[in-house]
Amino acid sequence: MAVDYTVIVVYLAGMLAMGWWGMRRAKSKSEFLVAGRRLGPMMYSGTMAAIVLGGASTIGGVGLGYQYGLSGAWMVFTIGLGLLALSVFFSARIARLKVYTVSEMLDLRYGGRSGLISGVVMWAYTLMLAVTSTIAYATIFDVLFDMNRTIAIILGGSIVVAYSTLGGMWSITLTDMVQFVVKTIGVLLLLLPIAVIKAGGFSEMKAKLPTEYFDPLGIGGETIFTYVLIYTFGMLIGQDIWQRVFTARSDKVARVGGTVAGTYCLVYAVAGAVIGTAAKVMYPKLPSADAAFATIVKDELPIGVRGLVLAAALAAVMSTSSGALIACATVANNDIWSRLRGAIKPSGQNSDEPHDEVKGNRLFILIMGVAVICIAIALNNVVEALTVAYNLLVAGLLVPILGGLLWKRGTVAGALAAVIVGGLAVIGLMWGYGILANEPVYYGLLLSLAAYVVVSLATKPTDAAVLAAWRERLAGRGAEAETDAEPATATQ
């Protein structure tokens, strides 16, 4: 394993070095939080694909392939569909808003007063997403070094917190590009063909497995529908995804680059399911489906290649973890703390100097990072935590966000009602039906929609001046000039 260890150590050292480089680049709030809004199509596509394809998409996607065959691709496939829908229909408008958080968008659309509540919901989602990504380090480091779970979480989490705190979005962008390349080589170009060959090829796989393993709908229609509802719609409204859209240098980059990333996700989904199906042929009686990835890597890959593929799994986890962490810290600082502080102090007492803003956001990443590591150590059930996060996100925020983009009659009262009713309903329904049941998000979303429409129609329409300012921002006009952004050439 010495060669494999060397590959992993060099990779981790490279992540920290890029964090240090990013610190020199991130000199303003815009540079720190959204990479100066200057990413070109190549970097944008790579970083967007990296953040949406995390440990759940890699290790979990292979596990679903092991359990269900080719239809196990549906979870990651719906993530790709969501990214495609976001890129084609909404990303251009989102990029033109020139904001930092989803809650800022809601304030612009509805005229304020909705940001704090929506910020709390979004913060809870991004926090749990960061926690579940951090827990995945334990699985990878256990395969690599037979490491204690707590130590593995601290080691992996500390590296991500370090480079994210140092350079913000610039560090995360650079590391995500490396992670994207490593994942492409490790999973698509190495593990996929090796797994199929070791399993005897597709003809041998078909001969040894039941026919339902090759049924595209074998996982079940209700499961596919739930994946669409949670992951496809979740991609449309998550702060971690929107914050990457904000990094695009133009609405065209956001649209085209996101479309490329979404298509890559579809390919990655199929690859993971095929690898899992091959693992089922080679190891038909594994104790857990999620062990399929680690088992096939550990037992079937040659020295060096094994280290690269494990680095690919580590890259998948780190990209999602770092993206969720900066999103969580951005929401905590900009949408929650700044509003609470503004309510306590007179507005004139707060400093708006760019340097202070960078220091403040850097501090919040550090604080949120430590909190994420502590929660990850204490938490055992990853699936339940992630389900709670996505249910809250979709039931609480999907309707007011898409309603604000698509229906001009929506009001701030309707938006608040949708967030509160949807959020409380999904929590109560999870208590009644069980956290992993499908019904909570179904009914919670319907109740959120009903509250939004009824309350919006029953209240005074949004002020014409607010809507006029909103249309100006959607058109790319009216946004305050970002004087802290350097007039340098956009990054490709």
Side-chain angles (χ1 to χ4, degrees), residues 54-71:
S57 300
T58 304
I59 299 170
V62 171
L64 286 172
Y66 182 89
Q67 188 173 359
Y68 297 104
L70 298 186
S71 67

Side-chain angles (χ1 to χ4, degrees), residues 9-75:
V9 170
V10 169
Y11 168 77
L12 293 176
M15 297 300 99
L16 291 174
M18 289 181 186
W20 184 262
W21 186 92
M23 181 177 68
R24 300 172 58 191
R25 186 93 182 242
K27 300 297 185 183
S28 66
K29 178 180 179 180
S30 175
E31 297 283 350
F32 190 82
L33 293 181
V34 290
R37 307 188 196 275
R38 292 192 316 213
L39 297 192
M42 185 180 299
M43 289 195 75
Y44 180 86
S45 298
T47 57
M48 183 62 86
I51 187 176
V52 300
L53 296 174
S57 300
T58 304
I59 299 170
V62 171
L64 286 172
Y66 182 89
Q67 188 173 359
Y68 297 104
L70 298 186
S71 67
W74 273 107
M75 184 188 76

Side-chain angles (χ1 to χ4, degrees), residues 240-435:
D240 52 325
I241 309 302
W242 277 43
Q243 199 155 345
R244 296 308 172 97
V245 176
F246 300 152
T247 65
R249 76 179 182 209
S250 68
D251 52 4
K252 183 178 179 181
V253 169
R255 184 172 58 251
V256 175
T259 301
V260 172
T263 304
Y264 178 90
C265 292
L266 302 183
V267 175
Y268 201 88
V270 176
V274 171
I275 293 168
T277 305
K280 183 68 175 179
V281 173
M282 291 182 278
Y283 309 99
K285 295 183 179 180
L286 288 177
S288 167
D290 285 340
F293 179 89
T295 302
I296 195 171
V297 169
K298 193 172 184 179
D299 293 349
E300 302 297 335
L301 299 185
I303 295 172
V305 173
R306 179 172 49 200
L308 183 58
V309 173
L310 285 172
L314 197 57
V317 175
M318 283 187 160
S319 56
T320 300
S321 180
S322 59
L325 176 59
I326 193 172
C328 177
T330 302
V331 171
N333 188 17
N334 290 267
D335 293 336
I336 299 176
W337 171 244
S338 65
R339 294 170 193 271
L340 294 175
R341 184 181 58 185
I344 297 172
K345 292 183 178 181
S347 58
Q349 292 184 15
N350 295 326
S351 173
D352 292 323
E353 296 179 17
H355 179 68
D356 289 340
E357 289 183 330
V358 172
K359 287 175 63 177
N361 282 291
R362 184 173 281 136
L363 177 62
F364 265 85
I365 290 179
L366 180 60
I367 293 171
M368 290 297 106
V370 172
V372 163
I373 292 172
C374 292
I375 296 171
I377 292 171
L379 197 64
N380 289 320
N381 198 315
V382 179
V383 176
E384 288 190 359
L386 196 59
T387 301
V388 171
Y390 269 102
N391 282 353
L392 274 174
L393 176 71
V394 173
L397 291 180
L398 178 66
V399 169
I401 292 173
L402 293 189
L405 290 169
L406 301 173
W407 190 40
K408 66 179 182 180
R409 185 61 181 82
T411 66
V412 65
L416 286 171
V419 174
I420 294 170
V421 170
L424 292 178
V426 80
I427 292 172
L429 289 164
M430 282 190 292
W431 182 273
Y433 282 98
I435 291 177

Side-chain angles (χ1 to χ4, degrees), residues 58-376:
T58 304
I59 299 170
V62 171
L64 286 172
Y66 182 89
Q67 188 173 359
Y68 297 104
L70 298 186
S71 67
W74 273 107
M75 184 188 76
V76 183
F77 203 84
T78 55
I79 290 174
L81 292 177
L83 186 51
L84 285 171
L86 173 71
S87 302
V88 172
F89 298 111
F90 300 109
S91 63
R93 282 182 281 182
I94 293 170
R96 288 195 293 265
L97 289 174
K98 295 290 188 287
V99 294
Y100 291 99
T101 68
V102 174
S103 295
E104 286 182 36
M105 168 263 169
L106 291 173
D107 278 352
L108 281 171
R109 168 59 181 83
Y110 295 111
R113 294 179 295 172
S114 62
L116 181 59
I117 295 176
S118 62
V120 171
V121 174
M122 187 64 76
W123 174 78
Y125 157 72
T126 53
L127 178 70
M128 294 315 299
L129 184 61
V131 166
T132 53
S133 299
T134 302
I135 291 173
Y137 296 127
T139 302
I140 299 170
F141 283 114
D142 179 56
V143 175
L144 279 171
F145 308 115
D146 192 23
M147 187 178 290
N148 175 270
R149 177 182 184 273
T150 299
I151 296 175
I153 290 173
I154 293 173
L155 175 60
S158 297
I159 292 171
V160 170
V161 171
Y163 72 69
S164 300
T165 301
L166 286 171
M169 186 59 81
W170 270 121
S171 294
I172 293 171
T173 296
L174 293 170
T175 54
D176 276 359
M177 276 305 297
V178 175
Q179 289 158 358
F180 170 73
V181 173
V182 171
K183 278 192 289 191
T184 301
I185 296 173
V187 175
L188 297 185
L189 301 184
L190 292 176
L191 184 58
L192 175 61
I194 290 173
V196 173
I197 292 171
K198 292 280 188 177
F202 286 104
S203 59
E204 188 71 13
M205 290 162 62
K206 287 185 177 181
K208 290 186 175 181
L209 294 174
T211 55
E212 55 263 28
Y213 265 72
F214 302 92
D215 179 1
L217 304 179
I219 199 171
E222 184 179 356
T223 299
I224 294 172
F225 178 73
T226 302
Y227 284 159
V228 170
L229 198 61
I230 293 178
Y231 296 113
T232 300
F233 286 116
M235 286 294 106
L236 298 179
I237 58 176
Q239 170 67 26
D240 52 325
I241 309 302
W242 277 43
Q243 199 155 345
R244 296 308 172 97
V245 176
F246 300 152
T247 65
R249 76 179 182 209
S250 68
D251 52 4
K252 183 178 179 181
V253 169
R255 184 172 58 251
V256 175
T259 301
V260 172
T263 304
Y264 178 90
C265 292
L266 302 183
V267 175
Y268 201 88
V270 176
V274 171
I275 293 168
T277 305
K280 183 68 175 179
V281 173
M282 291 182 278
Y283 309 99
K285 295 183 179 180
L286 288 177
S288 167
D290 285 340
F293 179 89
T295 302
I296 195 171
V297 169
K298 193 172 184 179
D299 293 349
E300 302 297 335
L301 299 185
I303 295 172
V305 173
R306 179 172 49 200
L308 183 58
V309 173
L310 285 172
L314 197 57
V317 175
M318 283 187 160
S319 56
T320 300
S321 180
S322 59
L325 176 59
I326 193 172
C328 177
T330 302
V331 171
N333 188 17
N334 290 267
D335 293 336
I336 299 176
W337 171 244
S338 65
R339 294 170 193 271
L340 294 175
R341 184 181 58 185
I344 297 172
K345 292 183 178 181
S347 58
Q349 292 184 15
N350 295 326
S351 173
D352 292 323
E353 296 179 17
H355 179 68
D356 289 340
E357 289 183 330
V358 172
K359 287 175 63 177
N361 282 291
R362 184 173 281 136
L363 177 62
F364 265 85
I365 290 179
L366 180 60
I367 293 171
M368 290 297 106
V370 172
V372 163
I373 292 172
C374 292
I375 296 171

